[in-house]
Amino acid sequence: MSTIKDVANIAGVSIATVSRVVNNGPKVGNKTRDKVLKVMAEIGYTPNANARALVKQKNTTLGVVIPALNDPFFASLANGVERIARDKKQHMLLSTGGFSSESELNAINLLIEQRCESMVVHSKKLADDTLIELSKKVPGIIFIDRLVPSIEERCIWLENTEGGKIAARHLLALGHTQFALLNSNFDIEDPSLRRKGFVETIENLNSKQANIQEINHEPTLKGGEMAAQQLLSLNIPFSAVFAYNDAMAIGAISVLEDNGLRIPEDVSVIGFDDVLLSQYSRPKLTTMHYPIEIMAENAAKLAIEFSHNQQSKSDFKHRYIPNLVKRESTSSCG
Amino acid sequence: MSTIKDVANIAGVSIATVSRVVNNGPKVGNKTRDKVLKVMAEIGYTPNANARALVKQKNTTLGVVIPALNDPFFASLANGVERIARDKKQHMLLSTGGFSSESELNAINLLIEQRCESMVVHSKKLADDTLIELSKKVPGIIFIDRLVPSIEERCIWLENTEGGKIAARHLLALGHTQFALLNSNFDIEDPSLRRKGFVETIENLNSKQANIQEINHEPTLKGGEMAAQQLLSLNIPFSAVFAYNDAMAIGAISVLEDNGLRIPEDVSVIGFDDVLLSQYSRPKLTTMHYPIEIMAENAAKLAIEFSHNQQSKSDFKHRYIPNLVKRESTSSCG
DNA sequence: TTGAAAGCGGTACCAA
DNA sequence: TTGGTACCGCTTTCAA
């Protein structure tokens, strides 16, 4: 691949001049500019971003860490970041962190080696202290989907507890009293926060007759199916299901329907996340909308801002509340 | 961020020595190694990948170009590439190419600037000649989901025509004779290839009574709905639908069901791609499985191999045939 | 308006 | 086993 030197030689100018025309620098004669441009096109010169980053001590790379790409939720996250990257003429370097603390740290270190000036990181496994350390080392790092005390300005998070509350209120308003909570068995705090909001609300508003059966499984379609099967085998009455996410909700629905229960006539089901899937399912899924794409966009903007200024000037929204999207899978009880 | 020089100064050794321990180089005294390691940890030294790439004239970056991230098909593609990248200790740089030739070219140039040694590119809009040029300039570039004559060894593609044939055979075997083809209206060759295989097979095997009605729309859920509506308004008989992709198939199913048609009793529907969605839908979708993730993995391996050797030694599979996944949305006619 | 040259953070060769 | 140093491709000051 040709270098700036090649261009300079062929065009009969100095590399400084070539550099100027490449960067639209000032004070270059029109004749010279044209000549250089012509040579560049002829030999297919492309500037080396590595060399550039080295001397300029800065990068146009925005790094992202997500657990995996093939999950629609994280795909939306990445998509939001990517949109901002494109807007701000940055490149996006994506690194997957899997579901363990070592691989999360690996993924982050990779981005640091590349000297990404800004980073949007989804980490559930790393300890608060580690993230605080990282925030000191990398001015432009933002943690999404997580609240780390003492560095809240570097975090963008969802109030999971509120999500549980809103779901509970919706189901209570529909007259339900017998609940099933199909929760994730992943060892992160989200499931317990959602449970907390859900359970507390129900107990507060309807302490007498209410009953909540919780079953934990993988937060996947399969996990939802298995949770529903287990629920049925318990042989206890229920008319409303709150699932940890849309995949579990849809898995549960398919098992419930296979067992002769109609959704929503016999059982109301409410999901979480509002991934594309929930609009495709039949019945269309009532769910808690998780504004992950908007959160990701803001995280990206915030990351870029921090990397430039060390201090955010704009008043960004850091704390998000999910909202209910009423579709077809919930209805009044009885 | 601290540099190799800082480490050398503090540890009281030369930068050459530090470089050796960083790279696990040979012949470093144990004492020296420990001392350097200690300093590195203390000041949180992380090597600069840009500087490294510059001097070594090579990168550990694998570039990917896809139109967008929020489409499950492309997410699978990216996921396959990412898996290989991780295996081969490469980083993945992702650049979205949108749906126009300029933005596709932009995305590719971005990766070239970063000097990605290997690249997996999904391009539908760029002309063959452009891709041939690119393949000369970048030894490690592989085109996925596309067949460019004269550089077939740099391509990994699916035989869309075969997909159409297999779908047709399946429906014919079930006794169907009245077909609807809900095709994509995108200006790429895939829709016409699938149509070709579908139509030819039906005409060959059942020229007398067969009838095929084609309707074109966006290859999305919405497009499928609209296509189905249009189909119904035509008021012609049909018992089998071949959709361009799963999203269209599922959109069509919802409209057909809303109009009192049962799937598959009244109408058989077959999709294409076999994205996750098709297993979540009810009834579960019969579809043509597009092995995109495996293709992507192979494209990534091939790209890395080409970037190293200029010539692929392994005998890679370049040409893929989709296969039928029989689920619940098709059944025998009448 | 142009060119010379220092230097960004590393690697790797050659000497010591 | 260690250190000195040229150099990777580019930007940017300083002079001309």
Side-chain angles (χ1 to χ4, degrees):
Chain A
M1 194 144 309
S2 50
T3 74
I4 199 173
K5 228 178 229 166
D6 300 328
V7 178
N9 285 150
I10 299 176
V13 298
S14 73
I15 60 169
T17 300
V18 177
S19 175
R20 285 185 195 105
V21 350
V22 168
N23 296 288
N24 280 313
K27 305 170 200 248
V28 185
N30 279 329
K31 264 197 208 149
T32 316
R33 157 165 281 115
D34 291 347
K35 191 170 35 169
V36 172
L37 249 20
K38 188 153 154 280
V39 173
M40 279 175 26
E42 273 172 15
I43 66 175
Y45 169 69
T46 314
N48 183 323
N50 292 304
R52 222 176 218 174
L54 186 57
V55 52
K56 297 189 71 156
Q57 293 286 64
K58 64 152 65 181
N59 226 317
T60 52
T61 310
L62 171 55
V64 198
V65 174
I66 52 175
L69 261 170
N70 56 350
D71 177 312
F73 181 81
F74 297 116
S76 290
L77 199 172
N79 203 51
V81 174
E82 203 276 335
R83 182 174 309 122
I84 301 305
R86 199 147 21 89
D87 271 13
K88 306 275 186 182
K89 312 227 170 294
Q90 301 254 325
H91 310 158
M92 179 170 120
L93 188 65
L94 192 142
S95 181
T96 59
F99 296 94
S100 78
S101 56
E102 314 95 278
S103 60
E104 277 185 358
L105 195 54
N106 273 342
I108 296 173
N109 277 331
L110 221 119
L111 299 185
I112 296 181
E113 281 180 14
Q114 299 293 332
R115 296 294 187 272
C116 291
E117 45 177 9
S118 26
M119 301 172 40
V120 173
V121 172
H122 184 284
S123 163
K124 287 287 186 190
K125 290 296 191 177
L126 256 16
D128 281 1
D129 286 348
T130 311
L131 300 189
I132 293 172
E133 277 308 305
L134 282 167
S135 73
K136 283 178 194 149
K137 183 169 179 185
V138 185
I141 196 172
I142 296 295
F143 303 107
I144 189 168
D145 206 8
R146 175 145 180 184
L147 168 54
V148 183
S150 94
I151 51 166
E152 300 175 8
E153 73 284 2
R154 309 287 285 278
C155 298
I156 300 258
W157 71 95
L158 184 90
E159 288 294 347
N160 280 294
T161 316
E162 291 300 319
K165 283 187 195 170
I166 296 168
R169 272 191 231 118
H170 174 59
L171 294 175
L172 285 169
L174 291 171
H176 295 275
T177 53
Q178 307 301 101
F179 303 95
L181 169 57
L182 308 189
N183 215 349
S184 163
N185 61 6
F186 275 22
D187 180 27
I188 56 178
E189 63 177 355
D190 304 38
S192 46
L193 292 177
R194 291 181 196 175
R195 173 201 304 125
K196 182 167 177 286
F198 189 71
V199 171
E200 281 181 2
T201 301
I202 289 172
E203 287 177 349
N204 286 345
L205 273 63
N206 197 330
S207 52
K208 319 273 178 262
Q209 345 152 20
N211 185 41
I212 306 173
Q213 177 64 47
E214 177 168 356
I215 295 174
N216 298 302
H217 262 290
E218 265 197 355
T220 60
L221 181 75
K222 197 84 202 152
E225 289 174 356
M226 292 172 66
Q229 249 138 22
Q230 200 172 318
L231 174 63
L232 289 170
S233 71
L234 253 39
N235 213 16
I236 56 169
F238 64 94
S239 69
V241 171
F242 177 34
Y244 177 74
N245 64 13
D246 295 338
M248 282 190 94
I250 290 171
I253 286 177
S254 79
V255 166
L256 295 178
E257 283 186 339
D258 287 349
N259 282 273
L261 293 166
R262 293 164 305 161
I263 316 294
E265 293 82 354
D266 300 322
V267 180
S268 285
V269 177
I270 180 166
F272 210 109
D273 286 355
D274 192 23
V275 293
L276 199 58
L277 213 56
S278 57
Q279 302 165 43
Y280 283 62
S281 79
R282 292 186 64 81
K284 292 199 177 74
L285 196 65
T286 294
T287 188
M288 298 305 306
H289 177 69
Y290 197 137
I292 185 61
E293 197 148 343
I294 289 177
M295 289 167 69
E297 288 180 3
N298 275 317
K301 286 184 198 162
L302 192 55
I304 292 173
E305 196 152 311
F306 263 105
S307 73
H308 290 345
N309 315 320
Q310 305 286 95
Q311 188 74 329
S312 164
K313 301 160 307 194
S314 328
D315 51 337
F316 271 99
K317 190 173 165 189
H318 292 264
R319 178 175 172 272
Y320 286 76
I321 311 266
N323 61 290
L324 180 75
V325 181
K326 173 83 181 75
R327 293 208 182 89
E328 303 165 355
S329 66
T330 50
S331 71
S332 53
C333 181
Chain B
M1 197 147 307
S2 51
T3 75
I4 199 173
K5 230 178 229 166
D6 300 328
V7 178
N9 283 149
I10 299 177
V13 297
S14 73
I15 58 169
T17 300
V18 177
S19 177
R20 283 184 198 106
V21 350
V22 169
N23 296 287
N24 278 313
K27 308 172 200 244
V28 185
N30 279 331
K31 264 198 212 148
T32 316
R33 156 164 284 115
D34 291 346
K35 190 171 35 170
V36 172
L37 250 21
K38 186 154 155 282
V39 172
M40 278 174 27
E42 275 173 11
I43 66 173
Y45 168 69
T46 315
N48 184 323
N50 291 304
R52 221 176 218 171
L54 184 58
V55 52
K56 297 189 72 154
Q57 294 285 62
K58 64 152 65 181
N59 226 318
T60 52
T61 310
L62 171 54
V64 198
V65 174
I66 52 175
L69 260 171
N70 56 349
D71 178 313
F73 181 81
F74 297 117
S76 290
L77 198 172
N79 203 51
V81 174
E82 202 277 335
R83 182 174 307 121
I84 301 306
R86 199 147 21 90
D87 271 13
K88 307 274 186 183
K89 313 227 170 292
Q90 301 254 323
H91 310 159
M92 181 169 120
L93 188 64
L94 193 142
S95 180
T96 59
F99 296 94
S100 78
S101 56
E102 313 95 276
S103 59
E104 277 185 358
L105 195 54
N106 273 341
I108 296 172
N109 277 332
L110 221 120
L111 300 185
I112 297 181
E113 281 180 15
Q114 298 293 332
R115 294 296 186 272
C116 291
E117 45 178 9
S118 24
M119 301 172 40
V120 173
V121 172
H122 185 283
S123 163
K124 287 288 186 188
K125 290 296 190 178
L126 256 16
D128 280 2
D129 286 349
T130 311
L131 300 189
I132 292 171
E133 278 307 306
L134 281 167
S135 73
K136 283 178 193 149
K137 183 169 179 185
V138 185
I141 197 172
I142 296 296
F143 303 106
I144 189 167
D145 205 8
R146 176 144 179 183
L147 169 55
V148 183
S150 93
I151 52 166
E152 299 174 10
E153 74 283 3
R154 308 289 285 279
C155 299
I156 300 259
W157 70 95
L158 183 90
E159 287 293 349
N160 280 293
T161 317
E162 291 300 319
K165 284 187 193 169
I166 295 168
R169 274 192 229 115
H170 174 59
L171 294 174
L172 285 168
L174 291 172
H176 295 276
T177 53
Q178 306 302 100
F179 302 96
L181 169 56
L182 308 189
N183 215 350
S184 162
N185 62 5
F186 275 21
D187 181 26
I188 55 178
E189 63 177 355
D190 303 39
S192 47
L193 292 176
R194 292 182 195 175
R195 173 200 303 126
K196 182 165 178 288
F198 190 72
V199 171
E200 281 180 0
T201 302
I202 289 172
E203 287 177 347
N204 286 343
L205 273 64
N206 196 330
S207 53
K208 316 274 180 267
Q209 343 152 21
N211 185 41
I212 306 173
Q213 176 65 47
E214 178 169 355
I215 295 173
N216 298 303
H217 262 290
E218 265 197 357
T220 60
L221 181 77
K222 199 82 203 153
E225 290 174 355
M226 292 173 66
Q229 249 138 22
Q230 198 172 322
L231 174 62
L232 288 170
S233 71
L234 253 40
N235 214 13
I236 56 168
F238 65 93
S239 69
V241 171
F242 177 35
Y244 177 74
N245 64 15
D246 295 338
M248 282 190 93
I250 290 171
I253 285 177
S254 78
V255 166
L256 296 177
E257 284 186 339
D258 286 349
N259 282 272
L261 294 166
R262 292 163 306 160
I263 315 295
E265 293 81 355
D266 299 322
V267 179
S268 285
V269 177
I270 180 167
F272 211 108
D273 287 352
D274 192 23
V275 291
L276 199 59
L277 214 56
S278 57
Q279 302 166 42
Y280 283 62
S281 80
R282 294 188 58 85
K284 292 199 178 72
L285 197 66
T286 294
T287 188
M288 298 305 306
H289 177 71
Y290 197 136
I292 186 62
E293 197 147 343
I294 290 177
M295 290 167 70
E297 287 179 2
N298 275 316
K301 287 184 198 161
L302 193 55
I304 292 173
E305 197 152 309
F306 263 105
S307 73
H308 289 346
N309 316 318
Q310 306 285 96
Q311 189 74 332
S312 163
K313 302 158 307 195
S314 330
D315 49 339
F316 271 99
K317 190 172 165 191
H318 292 263
R319 179 175 171 274
Y320 287 76
I321 311 267
N323 61 288
L324 180 75
V325 181
K326 172 84 181 75
R327 293 206 184 90
E328 304 164 356
S329 65
T330 51
S331 72
S332 54
C333 180

